[in-house]
Amino acid sequence: MALPQPSFRVWLFLVLLALGGVMALLDTSSVREPGAVPRDAAGEPDFYLEGARLTRFDDEGSAHQRVETPRLVHTPHDDVTRLETPDARLVDNAGRVWLAEADRGVLGPGGNPLTLSGSARLHAPEDRWQLDTEVLHYDANSGHAWSDTPALLRQPPQRMSGERFDAWLHDNRARLTDNVRGHHPPETREDPQP
C-alpha cells in the first residue's frame, strides 16, 4: 500500500517552518555579546554600560552636562565612574555649548567633578578657541574647568601656552598662568581698492 503524497498545504507548512528555523539561527548569531567584565585596582564594578549617554541636570531641570562614551564602569567602593574615550557637552548659564573630549574620563563620587585625561581637549565653538592639555577637570556645579598640567590655548592665528589653565564657563573667562608664552601675529589690513 502506497502512502498518499502530501498536499500543497503540507509542503507550504514545511517550507515556512524550515525558513523560520533558518531565520532564527541567523537572528541569534547577530546578537552582540558583552565584553569582558573590567577589573582594576578600584575593585570589581557593580555595573558597566556600553554605548552610554549620561545627562546631568541643574536645579531648574535643564541639561547642563552630557557625556557619551562607548563604555563606562562604576565601582561602588569609591563611587567613581570610569569612562572610555568620553565626549562631553557642557552647557553654561547663558546656554553656550562647550565641547570636551579625551582618551579616558572619571566622574567623581556623586557624578562630580568630571576629570578627562590623555589628550584632553576643551573647545569653545562660539569663541573659536581650543585648549589642549593632558588632564582637564570640570566642576559642573560651579562651571569651573581647570588643568594643572601644561596647556596650549589656540584661537587662530594666536596661540599661548602655560603651566596652568582655568576657565569659568558661566562668566566666559579663561586664564593661563605660570611660564606663559604666546604667538600673536600682527593684524594685517587689506589695502582699500580704488
Side-chain angles (χ1 to χ4, degrees):
M1 179 162 194
L3 293 174
Q5 190 172 16
S7 69
F8 174 75
R9 288 182 183 176
V10 172
W11 280 112
L12 183 61
F13 174 75
L14 291 174
V15 167
L16 288 175
L17 186 64
L19 185 61
V22 169
M23 289 182 69
L25 285 174
L26 291 176
D27 187 46
T28 59
S29 66
S30 67
V31 173
R32 184 172 169 232
E33 293 294 322
V37 174
R39 302 191 189 289
D40 61 25
E44 188 169 328
D46 56 348
F47 68 88
Y48 69 96
L49 299 172
E50 294 182 349
R53 179 188 294 172
L54 293 90
T55 303
R56 186 179 173 126
F57 297 91
D58 62 17
D59 294 337
E60 287 79 40
S62 300
H64 69 105
Q65 179 178 322
R66 282 198 172 100
V67 179
E68 291 187 22
T69 178
R71 187 173 207 179
L72 68 81
V73 178
H74 180 267
T75 49
H77 170 71
D78 53 5
D79 190 24
V80 166
T81 304
R82 289 162 184 78
L83 313 162
E84 289 182 7
T85 60
D87 187 7
R89 296 171 93 58
L90 314 170
V91 181
D92 66 20
N93 287 346
R96 292 182 301 255
V97 176
W98 304 67
L99 307 173
E101 59 191 37
D103 296 335
R104 295 169 306 283
V106 174
L107 283 168
N112 198 42
L114 170 63
T115 301
L116 302 172
S117 59
S119 300
R121 181 170 285 164
L122 179 65
H123 304 270
E126 285 189 17
D127 296 327
R128 299 178 331 125
W129 63 258
Q130 172 182 309
L131 172 83
D132 294 297
T133 187
E134 192 56 33
V135 179
L136 179 70
H137 307 276
Y138 177 66
D139 184 328
N141 297 330
S142 65
H144 181 213
W146 73 96
S147 176
D148 295 323
T149 58
L152 174 64
L153 180 64
R154 290 183 279 188
Q155 186 177 29
Q158 303 175 63
R159 66 180 180 275
M160 297 186 302
S161 62
E163 298 299 317
R164 178 177 169 80
F165 171 82
D166 287 279
W168 294 268
L169 276 54
H170 301 313
D171 299 331
N172 200 24
R173 292 188 300 132
R175 176 178 68 192
L176 275 171
T177 53
D178 300 331
N179 197 24
V180 176
R181 297 173 187 251
H183 173 70
H184 306 278
E187 274 190 51
T188 57
R189 297 181 187 236
E190 295 181 18
D191 293 333
Q193 296 183 3

